[in-house]
Amino acid sequence: YALSVLRKRSATPFEIGVLTIDPLFTADFDTTPLAEFCANLSIPFYTKKVDIAGIIEKNNGNDPCFTCAFFRRGAINQFAVENGFNKVAYAHHHDDAVETFLMSILYSGQINTFLPTTYLDQSNLTVIRPLVYFREFELKETPKLHGFTPIPSPCPLNGHTKRQEAKDLIKDLEKNNPALYSHLGAAM
């Protein structure tokens, strides 16, 4: 939605397409509401089935979130290259960046997170995150602007991930230190 608004007002013309990956976690992953929303914005909508569920099953459950993210990104990048797109936009918000920063420290012993833009030289794509300076609570209010309620995630682990643990840890620590989130953001 944000990119469609920007497209109307930008001095530099650009095209938008929306791709949703169906990871085959469920047989009834209905993307029809999203397709209709995109049609109303005059944005082409695509779906691609990628058997991420099968890959995770064969991987004996080893780090399913990493596996899912890896194969989703690969499928999206491949689709972008095959269809002439030079940028991939993800809807990561500021909370995602802070949580990734904390997870990197806690689970891999590194100080790392993603950037607002990243050039991928192997595929000649640029990843952009146009919502990275918005907080999650701000974005949860956007259905009031555009009238679309996001479709539920088909992930069987939704709400039971390392990301959710990091989100809960931040919330819990903020009880004693209300500045904790802003400190993590500043450190990042």
Side-chain angles (χ1 to χ4, degrees), residues 1-177:
Y1 174 77
L3 288 174
S4 74
V5 170
L6 182 61
R7 176 177 61 171
K8 291 177 186 172
R9 297 186 170 109
S10 176
T12 305
F14 61 92
E15 295 178 36
I16 307 170
V18 171
L19 172 65
T20 294
I21 301 296
D22 179 351
L24 302 176
F25 289 136
T26 65
D28 60 348
F29 183 48
D30 183 15
T31 59
T32 305
L34 184 54
E36 291 170 355
F37 179 68
C38 289
N40 289 334
L41 296 172
S42 301
I43 299 174
F45 176 75
Y46 309 92
T47 59
K48 184 173 183 174
K49 293 180 185 294
V50 180
D51 189 12
I52 295 171
I55 295 167
I56 290 171
E57 188 177 314
K58 289 177 186 169
N59 202 17
N60 295 322
N62 291 331
D63 206 348
C65 295
F66 173 83
T67 302
C68 182
F70 179 82
F71 283 99
R72 275 185 297 121
R73 283 191 312 268
I76 290 168
N77 293 349
Q78 179 183 17
F79 178 89
V81 169
E82 289 172 354
N83 289 277
F85 292 101
N86 62 356
K87 292 187 177 47
V88 171
Y90 290 123
H92 292 121
H93 45 70
H94 196 265
D95 294 60
D96 288 329
V98 168
E99 292 156 12
T100 299
F101 176 68
L102 183 60
M103 289 187 308
S104 175
I105 293 168
L106 296 176
Y107 301 118
S108 71
Q110 299 176 29
I111 298 177
N112 199 2
T113 192
F114 50 77
L115 299 171
T117 62
T118 305
Y119 178 70
L120 307 175
D121 55 357
Q122 289 183 348
S123 58
N124 197 30
L125 290 171
T126 300
V127 173
I128 62 172
R129 294 176 175 90
L131 304 177
V132 78
Y133 295 107
F134 288 93
R135 292 290 310 272
E136 182 176 21
F137 71 85
E138 294 173 305
L139 296 175
K140 285 184 176 182
E141 296 295 316
T142 62
K144 294 176 186 174
L145 297 172
H146 51 65
F148 178 72
T149 302
I151 58 176
S153 169
C155 175
L157 298 176
N158 196 28
H160 305 283
T161 62
K162 293 295 182 194
R163 178 166 305 281
Q164 187 63 49
E165 286 178 17
K167 186 182 296 284
D168 293 344
L169 178 60
I170 291 168
K171 187 177 179 180
D172 189 49
L173 292 173
E174 279 183 314
K175 291 175 187 171
N176 293 324
N177 180 0

